[in-house]
Amino acid sequence: MKEVTVFAPATVANVACGFDILGFALEQPGDTVTARFGEGNEVRIRSITGDGGRLPLDADKNTAGVAIRHLLNHLGEKRGVEITLEKALPLGSGLGSSAASAVAGVVAANTLLGEPLTREELIPFTLEAERAACGAAHADNAAPAMLGGFVLIRGYDPLDLVRIPAPGELCCAVIHPHIEIRTEDARKILRKEIRLEDAIVQWGNIGGLIAGLMKGDYGLIGRSMKDVIIEPVRSLLIPGFEEVKQAALESGALGCSISGSGPSVFALGNDRSQIEAAGRAMQSVFSGMHIESDLYISAINNQGPSAVHSGSSI
Ligand code: HSE
């Protein structure tokens, strides 16, 4: 029986100053979906592993299921799709867990159907899944998970995505303390209005960060990784955040901030051994507070989703 298995990566959204408009993909970890044709015209989830039994099998309550349902509706497809989902991404971690499942699911289903749509065309279905998961169709996890690399969301209406080339040595440490923060909650606490003087600092930084990535100017990347709007509010939800950030910067990281809506914290560097040291330093701050954590060291994933084992190739 024909089946398609697709891995989709974790992502770091916001990248300090780019709330809802910038994200990048990691090589690992990620979620994996296997899709095959099923009975009737339904989307069915046969099994979910790696979630500790927390996610419901109801396809309407799962981001992979929601994204596939929107794809099938869009295509007017009468065949049903059945999936199994292997979650390697922790829930509520700030690593783009909901986006990774949605992207893996919709790419697997699209491949099963003979690739009627391009990856870029699949993104709107993953945004519907994000909306179902957290109430907001933000694209800064789903777009980089789908396209790989750094992706700028230049605009939402209409969706205007720009792949931003990044220097090859750029690497990332992400530390995931074992605390859970729901994106929906982390969005509710944000102020709805910002001061003009903060906006000026923020848009200077986002412009600087994009320019730094494109020029391969690490000093500019580091100087620009500052968030004066979101981080001061959300960091209050992460115990020891300032010490963790300090530890990363003292170890030579270019910059450090909250990954997505947290609690994960990421640091960027241009030297693998230095970023590994920064990761260990961040982890030891959490250990000192008796908070367990997982550390991920990764290059930038420029590929996006990949076929794991497939009857047809993608
Ligand atoms: N931009 C989103 C937020 C990302 O910060 O709420 C969530 O992972």
Side-chain angles (χ1 to χ4, degrees):
M1 181 195 250
K2 182 176 172 179
E3 62 175 36
V4 178
T5 301
V6 172
F7 165 89
T11 42
V12 171
N14 302 337
V15 203
C17 47
F19 178 71
D20 275 1
I21 60 144
L22 187 66
F24 66 88
L26 298 172
E27 288 181 327
Q28 289 284 345
D31 288 351
T32 305
V33 170
T34 298
R36 59 183 78 81
F37 289 114
E39 285 164 21
N41 60 357
E42 283 171 37
V43 179
R44 266 190 65 205
I45 303 180
R46 283 186 76 89
S47 68
I48 303 178
T49 51
D51 66 326
R54 293 181 54 197
L55 291 174
L57 291 178
D58 180 345
D60 295 334
K61 297 199 169 83
N62 180 283
T63 56
V66 171
I68 295 171
R69 180 76 268 161
H70 279 272
L71 170 68
L72 298 186
N73 289 351
H74 172 85
L75 295 172
E77 175 60 54
K78 295 285 174 279
R79 287 170 291 183
V81 171
E82 225 174 64
I83 62 165
T84 57
L85 168 61
E86 291 166 50
K87 284 219 63 88
L89 283 179
L91 310 177
S93 59
L95 289 165
S97 170
S98 54
S101 293
V103 168
V106 84
V107 171
N110 188 55
T111 309
L112 189 69
L113 295 165
E115 282 192 82
L117 299 184
T118 64
R119 286 194 180 177
E120 196 141 340
E121 287 168 339
L122 294 174
I123 290 175
F125 312 121
T126 64
L127 300 192
E128 289 309 319
E130 289 288 55
R131 192 196 308 283
C134 79
H138 65 91
D140 49 343
N141 291 112
M146 183 68 84
L147 303 177
F150 278 79
V151 180
L152 168 71
I153 297 100
R154 205 283 311 152
Y156 273 90
D157 189 17
L159 195 62
D160 186 359
L161 304 174
V162 186
R163 255 313 265 322
I164 305 293
E169 298 78 37
L170 203 65
C171 48
C172 181
V174 189
I175 183 93
H176 168 230
H178 293 183
I179 304 162
E180 203 171 299
I181 297 178
R182 295 175 66 236
T183 297
E184 192 173 359
D185 298 334
R187 295 181 77 87
K188 278 191 192 138
I189 62 169
L190 298 176
R191 289 192 297 264
K192 298 293 172 287
E193 290 179 350
I194 57 177
R195 294 184 313 166
L196 182 60
E197 61 195 87
D198 290 337
I200 292 168
V201 174
Q202 198 85 355
W203 59 51
N205 281 329
I206 189 69
L209 179 54
I210 300 293
L213 289 168
M214 296 186 73
K215 289 165 60 148
D217 183 335
Y218 295 113
L220 181 55
I221 292 171
R223 294 201 299 289
S224 306
M225 283 179 63
K226 306 229 165 62
D227 172 9
V228 297
I229 294 173
I230 308 295
E231 185 184 292
V233 181
R234 284 185 172 168
S235 59
L236 303 175
L237 302 175
I238 306 170
F241 173 77
E242 292 303 334
E243 291 84 348
V244 170
K245 183 171 171 173
Q246 193 63 26
L249 297 176
E250 279 169 9
S251 307
L254 299 169
C256 174
S257 187
I258 302 169
S259 175
S261 52
S264 293
V265 178
F266 80 102
L268 284 179
N270 58 344
D271 177 296
R272 181 94 185 188
S273 55
Q274 214 162 34
I275 208 68
E276 283 170 4
R280 285 193 300 273
M282 294 196 286
Q283 189 158 41
S284 69
V285 176
F286 282 125
S287 320
M289 292 185 304
H290 307 289
I291 298 173
E292 283 181 41
S293 61
D294 300 310
L295 174 62
Y296 305 101
I297 305 289
S298 173
I300 309 303
N301 168 355
N302 284 308
Q303 183 191 359
S306 51
V308 175
H309 157 74
S310 163
S312 60
S313 61
I314 63 169

